[in-house]
Each structure stands twice: as C-alpha cells, then as structure tokens.
Amino acid sequence: MQKSERLVLRLAIFSRFLLISLIITWRFLYPPYDSSAQLNPSCLSSSSTAGDLSHLKEADRVLWPRAGAAIEGSVVWDSVYFVRIAECGYEYEQTYAFLPLLPLSISLLSRSVFAPLIPLIGYRAVLALSGYALNNIAFVLAAIYFYKLSFLILKDSAASLQASVLFCFNPASIFYSSIYSESLYALFSLSGLFYLFSGSNYVAILLLGVCGTARSNGAIHAGYFCFKALLQAYDAITNKNSISFALQAIVGGAAYSICLFVPFAAFQVYGYYNICVCASDGLRPWCNSRVPNLYGYLQSHYWGVGFLRYFEVKQLPNFLLASPILTIAIASVIYYASLLKQTLQSFRMTSDSMTDPQGKDHYQEIIYSDNSSASAEFKGNHILQRRKSAYKANASEKFHYAKLEMDSFIKFKQGYCSVLVFPFILHLGFMIFMAFFVMHVQVATRFLSASPPIYWFASYVMLSPGTTSRRVGYVIWSDSIAYILLGSLLFSNFYPFT
C-alpha cells in the first residue's frame, strides 16, 4: 500500500471513530425526539430468522439488557426498516423499497460473526451492531477505493489525496456510520468503477451488479460501460478502420449494461411474486399494470416521490438544507464544461495558426477569382464546378478538424478536464436533476455524497493558488464540519435531518 493510501486509510478510520463518538455523546446528552423505534413487535411469519432465534430474545436470557437497549435505541429512521427486514424478512409492501443487500448482509453477520453476542445483548441489538460494524468497515474500504479511482482517472496524486480527505469527512458522514445503504453502495460503486477503468470488465460487472442490490440508482452505472464501448468503437473506426471491431465493442457494451439491470429487475420480480401472485387479500393496484412497477409505485404512494411534487412553499427549508451540496455539484459540472470549452478553443486556435497564419479565406478566393477569356457559358459552368469543389474541400477540412478535436479530447486523460471524467459528469448531472426535481430534495446530501466529481472539483479549487481558493476551501470545510455536527446530533436523536 502506497504512502497516500495508508494516509487515506488512517483518516477514514479516524473519521468513523469520530462519528461514532459524536453519536454516543449526543445520545448521552440529549433524549431522543421519538423513542418509538425501540418498539419491536413479533415477526408476522414464524418461519423467519427471528422465529428460529426467538428463544434467545427473552429478557431473562440477556445478560446485559441495558447495553442491548442502548444499541436498539440507536436504530432510527430508515435503519428501523433495514433491521426489521434483516430480522423478519419483507413483511409489508412498503419494505420492498429497501433493497436486500444491506439487510441480507446484516442477517448473515448476526448469525455468524456476532452470533456469540446474542445471549449477552439480545438478537435485535446484535442485528444493529452487525449493521454498524458492516457499514463502518465498508466505508473505510470505500475511501481506499475512492483514492485509487481518483488517481487512476486524474493522474494527480495531490488532487486525489485532497479529494479523498474531503470524502472521509463529507457532509453525509452520519449515514456512512449508521445502518443505511450508503456505505455498501459507495464501496461497490467505487471499486467497480476502479476495476472497469483498469480494464477488468468481469470484476467490474460483478461489483457494479452487487451495487445495484444496495440502491436502485446502482443500475445507472450501465452508462459507464456504454461510454467505454463508444470510445472503443471510435478507436476501431478511426484508427483501425474496422467496422466489425466497432460493432463488437458496441454489442459488448450493451450486453454489460443490460447485466447491471438484472439484479434490480430480479428483486422487482421477487416482490411481484410475493405481493401479487401469492397474495391472499386481493391484488394491489400496481399488480394489474401492463408493466408492473413495484419500486416506482412504492416511492410515489408511500413517500410522495414524483416530478415537481416536492415543489411546495412548506418544503423551502428542505431546499435550503440541500442547497450546499447542490451548489457544489452544479459548480463541478459547470467547471468541467468551462475547462473542456477552453481546451477545445485552444486546440482550434493552434490548428488555425498552423494551417493559415494570415487568416485568409482561400475558399472565397477560389470561388470569385476567374480571369478566363472563355465564353460566358463555359465560364459559368467552370465557376460552378470550382465552387462545388471548394465546398467539398471545405466540408472535408471541417470534418478533418472535427476529427482532430475529437482525437485531442479523447487522448486528454489527465486532470479534471480528462475525457475519463466525462461519464462521471453525465452521471452526476442526471443525479442532480433527479434530486432536485423528483426526489425529496433534502436527500440530495447523501444521494450525491458518493459522486467523485464533487470532491475532484473541490480539491482542484482548494489546491489552486490565490485568496479566492482559500476562501472556497474554508466554505467547503465549514459546510462539512457543520453537517457532521448537526447530522450526528439531529439524526441520532430521531430529529429530521436529510
């Protein structure tokens, strides 16, 4: 492990200890706003994992009941769903909005590594403890892969290290140390993309496929395979002059992309079978749709998610809460676009100076200069032919310059303006649109927190010389610190946060 990777490892571990310490401190100092999360009714199905371990849940079998109660009391917000699913499976329709990777992993850990603790603190506390341990370890691994991916894409060790430090202390840090799916999503997303751009397609498809079982937006990674396929197809056509290689690249990219949708689609089929096929109390409305969309129905029906549905005056505080991360995200996209424009303009100026130092329009000279003494009819036809030849030459030269520009863009693979950053920018742009116009906007803080361009942009701005850069760096760090402190206080005590 390189020196920079060891530093990122130490900072990631320190950040998790810091978050856990803050959670414990705030829970000790302030009572929770809502203590209903501690209620734990019995599972509906006796065949669940909880039924198999019910004999270990009795109070008289728990040696440390107060410790168990404290751990159970820390399970708040969506963590309640994940722990309940790990304990009892998918009992209710709305629980299918939470994908299975995290609860399945928690269940496996609680029945293996942490099983000896069940007689000490109780089964539900062990489930929660398994979730905390899993997510904090996953975040540390995700931070290492974040640095690896950043260095692979940017070819800049200083910017990669700075971006990794920002990721370790990002504004959504509380969710990476809680029982949420952010840590597992970040781990499999970042590691999968690292192996994809390293050339290990099969490892990448496996990791990114697993990522799709952590969060629904994991399937969006299919765009990276499409981007890579387009680059390979362009290279095959322009450099190798092979249409067959180009078609092979496109077909392969399409196949990889389809594979990423399979895990999410399989889970939707699983939900359809349990709710619509095996249901004994009548079909739900979405079951009769031509294309049943379980996830879309759940988000719309239970959480009110939809295009512009959150645009209400009463939601203005939530828009303000999401404004810092949205501002940085939008700025990172604009900054990349401006750098790309400057690079292409610089290339055009260089090309123009090489081909025509005096800036003359030779095509106009070709068209309008004719001193022939031939007849007017011949002269007209001759001028028309030369004009057509000039237009063809002009079009050919424009195509040549366009190809040179594209070649220059594709071969530029260093820094924030690298062509390899382009799919990350497209991905981030799509997520910004979804977070602002479709989702509950306050979720943007954690929804965008695993997007590398945000941290790459911030690192380049902070590393730039000048007073403005120092001020921007101060604002970014102030935002992260404020959200870490505020998030650990509000979220851990069951107050509304993001």
Side-chain angles (χ1 to χ4, degrees), residues 84-366:
R84 180 72 179 185
I85 295 169
E87 182 181 10
C88 304
Y90 287 91
E91 301 176 297
Y92 306 99
E93 183 182 60
Q94 62 266 36
T95 58
Y96 286 88
F98 301 90
L99 271 65
L101 180 60
L102 178 57
L104 179 61
S105 302
I106 291 174
S107 179
L108 292 176
L109 280 177
S110 65
R111 303 184 68 181
S112 55
V113 178
F114 293 98
L117 296 179
I118 295 177
L120 302 179
I121 57 178
Y123 181 55
R124 189 167 186 264
V126 167
L127 288 170
L129 190 62
S130 301
Y132 284 121
L134 175 67
N135 280 348
N136 282 276
I137 293 174
F139 177 82
V140 173
L141 296 176
I144 296 175
Y145 274 107
F146 184 94
Y147 174 80
K148 288 176 174 288
L149 177 64
S150 299
F151 185 74
L152 178 66
I153 299 298
L154 303 177
K155 309 294 191 299
D156 188 333
S157 58
S160 300
L161 180 59
Q162 179 67 54
S164 301
V165 174
L166 290 171
F167 176 71
C168 288
F169 299 94
N170 70 77
S173 288
I174 180 62
F175 299 101
Y176 289 91
S177 287
S178 301
I179 309 176
Y180 269 58
S181 56
E182 268 66 24
S183 290
L184 289 178
Y185 170 82
L187 172 59
F188 288 103
S189 172
L190 297 171
S191 61
L193 292 175
F194 170 75
Y195 286 109
L196 173 63
F197 287 100
S198 298
S200 302
N201 287 343
Y202 294 116
V203 178
I205 197 68
L206 176 62
L207 293 172
L208 293 176
V210 175
C211 179
T213 64
R215 294 187 63 87
S216 59
N217 54 303
I220 305 175
H221 291 98
Y224 292 92
F225 286 95
C226 295
F227 171 78
K228 189 175 181 180
L230 290 176
L231 287 183
Q232 293 173 343
Y234 179 82
D235 178 70
I237 294 174
T238 58
N239 298 328
K240 300 177 182 178
N241 197 25
S242 175
I243 300 296
S244 61
F245 284 165
L247 292 176
Q248 183 179 354
I250 293 175
V251 171
Y256 284 130
S257 300
I258 293 173
C259 289
L260 289 189
F261 287 90
V262 171
F264 179 76
F267 183 68
Q268 301 308 296
V269 173
Y270 171 75
Y272 177 85
Y273 177 79
N274 288 337
I275 298 175
C276 300
V277 177
C278 299
S280 58
D281 54 351
L283 293 179
R284 298 293 294 155
W286 63 272
C287 293
N288 295 320
S289 301
R290 177 175 299 180
V291 180
N293 184 5
L294 171 59
Y295 188 79
Y297 173 80
L298 297 178
Q299 292 293 329
S300 176
H301 181 72
Y302 291 100
W303 281 273
V305 173
F307 184 66
L308 299 182
R309 290 181 64 177
Y310 216 60
F311 277 62
E312 299 176 331
V313 176
K314 64 180 181 180
Q315 302 298 346
L316 181 60
N318 288 323
F319 278 89
L320 295 176
L321 186 64
S323 59
I325 190 68
L326 288 174
T327 301
I328 297 176
I330 294 173
S332 64
V333 175
I334 296 175
Y335 184 64
Y336 180 83
S338 63
L339 284 180
L340 181 60
K341 181 180 179 180
Q342 292 174 10
T343 302
L344 294 179
Q345 285 180 343
S346 175
F347 176 80
R348 291 194 192 103
M349 293 176 61
T350 303
S351 301
D352 292 343
S353 63
M354 292 176 61
T355 56
D356 190 358
Q358 298 179 356
K360 294 182 179 180
D361 191 346
H362 297 294
Y363 301 114
Q364 294 299 324
E365 294 179 359
I366 294 175

